[in-house]
Amino acid sequence: MQGLDFALFGLINAGPSVAPWSLAFAEFCSDLLPAMLTLAIGFSALFSRRWRYALFTVLLSVLAAWIVVTVIRSLAPIPRPAFYGLGIQWVPQGVRPGFPSMHAAGTFAAAFALWCLPSRVPMLAALVVAALVAWSRVYLGLHFPSDIVAATMLGALVAIVVERGISRPLSQAASGALVARRRSARSRLRRAASLNTD
């Protein structure tokens, strides 16, 4: 399995003769696309209650992914390609643990969290962004493909657990409290109206 991982890494990692623009594009994908995705979701949340629910789910999912990746890396510190002297590391990361990819886990968690929206288009667009981020991490020599695969599965799992286990129950509780407040207000108005007519 490790041999396949090394071979795939060798195929994807940028070699010394790649065009400079491809490295610049990979760095853009790695450094800026995750932030741009979050900003786009945050901007959409200004105009829609559904998007505010999605933003809440995204932020919790990314936080949960970060925590899980940190725990995994501390318990099983699997090294990056540079540790084995493989490929070219275009962005300095040293030999600190790289399994699973933090960038990929967070971005895929954000993308899969958009499943809660009625339209699938935002989630599919976010998955394209996450795939570009994941590709850039291997292309720049920072992660093995297995780091990305694990991060993708982790991101999906975290997003599902957060949406079903935290966001949805909180939203239902808030809706229930709002309905109860409205009923209470109507009841008080009726009582006040009946007192005025007596």
Side-chain angles (χ1 to χ4, degrees):
M1 193 68 174
Q2 191 182 52
L4 176 61
D5 209 18
F6 285 13
L8 288 173
F9 172 78
L11 289 173
I12 301 169
N13 179 224
S17 59
V18 297
W21 67 263
S22 69
L23 293 173
F25 177 67
E27 287 190 44
F28 167 78
C29 291
S30 179
D31 297 338
L32 295 177
L33 274 187
M36 291 174 71
L37 175 62
T38 306
L39 286 174
I41 295 167
F43 181 76
S44 300
L46 296 173
F47 305 101
S48 162
R49 187 174 60 82
R50 287 184 184 272
W51 274 97
R52 283 191 286 279
Y53 176 86
L55 176 63
F56 178 74
T57 305
V58 164
L59 294 176
L60 278 184
S61 297
V62 171
L63 176 62
W66 180 82
I67 292 169
V68 173
V69 168
T70 302
V71 169
I72 291 172
R73 286 184 179 183
S74 65
L75 295 176
I78 298 172
R80 296 172 187 265
F83 176 83
Y84 301 99
L86 296 173
I88 300 173
Q89 197 175 59
W90 292 96
V91 178
Q93 295 285 304
V95 291
R96 58 197 170 92
F99 179 88
S101 165
M102 185 77 78
H103 280 72
T107 313
F108 274 107
F112 282 114
L114 297 181
W115 176 263
C116 64
L117 293 170
S119 169
R120 295 290 165 256
V121 174
M123 185 186 76
L124 294 175
L127 284 173
V128 170
V129 170
L132 285 170
V133 172
W135 160 81
S136 72
R137 303 301 287 173
V138 181
Y139 190 75
L140 293 171
L142 308 177
H143 288 285
F144 287 112
S146 60
D147 301 342
I148 302 303
V149 172
T152 303
M153 293 189 294
L154 173 64
L157 179 63
V158 162
I160 291 167
V161 169
V162 165
E163 198 277 329
R164 297 280 171 89
I166 300 174
S167 296
R168 189 178 297 185
L170 285 177
S171 177
Q172 289 170 344
S175 295
L178 183 62
V179 168
R181 275 199 300 268
R182 285 179 181 164
R183 284 183 183 152
S184 175
R186 279 191 216 121
S187 174
R188 283 195 299 270
L189 285 172
R190 281 194 209 109
R191 268 189 258 127
S194 67
L195 289 172
N196 287 340
T197 54
D198 287 346

